[in-house]
Amino acid sequence: MSERHELDAQTRPRLMPLPEEHWDARARKLLAVAPRDPGGRVPNIFTTLVRHPDLYEQFMPFGGQLLRRGRLPERLRELLILRTSRNTGARYEWGRHLPLAKAAGVTDADIDRITEGTEAHGWTDLEEHLMRAADELHSDARLSEATWEALAGYFDDAELIEIVMLVGQYHMVAFFLNTAGVELDPGFERMGFTEGGRNHA
């Protein structure tokens, strides 16, 4: 297969969102409480993942705990998610979290820095440590002693656990999105997303 055809194959969905006319009673019950986009549309991630209803049912409370009820400040949470999205090449994850990040105070300058990594000019010390944490978890599946100690100066034990679990959660989500080829929903954009995220700084 040529490189062009291989790229085309990678960008076509392997799993399509489950059409509403194919929702059985359980899928309808699960999706009835899913977050919805303006106009009432259920995002593609949920209508695709619901093809495995048992997993969907368990996944949603865990993801909701990290995203909606976590201990980390919203802005810092979104910085970690966007850096993880960039590291994993997860276009969908990036596009869906841009509005959340901006609502939490992430600026266009921050978004530019996220694509550059820890060496970008303008990070605070804490933000630089968080970017390094996302990168280390991505590349090494653990935090270095230096990064752990640095973060421990800002966060308590529960928050340190949450940082690791948050980055891990969005790796898992990226694996699903990238492999299934879930398409970004209408009305969302990938502003600032750059390819080659796995070659992070």
Side-chain angles (χ1 to χ4, degrees):
M1 180 182 293
S2 72
E3 184 176 343
R4 176 68 253 174
H5 287 162
E6 184 174 355
L7 179 60
D8 288 342
Q10 289 173 348
T11 57
R12 288 197 300 268
R14 289 169 168 164
L15 290 174
M16 296 298 295
L18 188 66
E20 187 168 359
E21 59 269 23
H22 294 161
W23 297 358
D24 61 15
R26 188 177 184 198
R28 288 189 182 280
K29 182 178 178 181
L30 292 171
L31 293 172
V33 294
R36 291 180 179 253
D37 291 337
R41 186 179 184 279
V42 182
N44 289 340
I45 182 174
F46 302 131
T47 50
T48 306
L49 186 58
V50 81
R51 289 180 176 278
H52 191 326
D54 293 338
L55 192 151
Y56 179 100
E57 190 170 27
Q58 300 302 313
F59 167 82
M60 290 298 285
F62 180 68
Q65 174 65 40
L66 288 169
L67 184 61
R68 303 297 182 192
R69 299 179 295 278
R71 299 184 179 215
L72 298 176
E74 291 181 0
R75 182 175 181 277
L76 300 184
R77 178 198 71 210
E78 292 301 324
L79 289 176
L80 284 167
I81 292 171
L82 287 178
R83 183 60 180 173
T84 299
S85 302
R86 201 270 178 177
N87 282 343
T88 56
R91 300 179 184 90
Y92 186 100
E93 200 166 78
W94 179 277
R96 293 292 313 196
H97 275 270
L98 273 181
L100 297 176
K102 290 184 175 183
V106 175
T107 66
D108 289 346
D110 292 327
I111 292 167
D112 290 341
R113 281 192 288 270
I114 288 167
T115 65
E116 295 177 40
T118 57
E119 303 306 315
H121 178 71
W123 289 129
T124 66
D125 287 345
L126 170 57
E127 291 163 352
E128 184 177 334
H129 295 319
L130 287 171
M131 291 297 100
R132 184 168 289 108
D135 289 357
E136 289 178 356
L137 290 167
H138 178 69
S139 62
D140 304 327
R142 64 176 297 161
L143 294 181
S144 67
E145 193 66 25
T147 299
W148 176 267
E149 290 300 326
L151 292 175
Y154 295 93
F155 300 105
D156 63 23
D157 290 351
E159 291 164 337
L160 290 168
I161 291 170
E162 190 167 308
I163 288 169
V164 176
M165 296 296 281
L166 179 74
V167 174
Q169 150 83 352
Y170 281 91
H171 272 81
M172 179 179 69
V173 172
F175 296 161
F176 165 65
L177 294 168
N178 291 348
T179 299
V182 178
E183 294 183 317
L184 190 58
D185 306 280
F188 290 81
E189 55 162 331
R190 302 186 182 100
M191 184 197 78
F193 186 86
T194 55
E195 298 293 342
R198 285 174 289 277
N199 300 319
H200 55 73

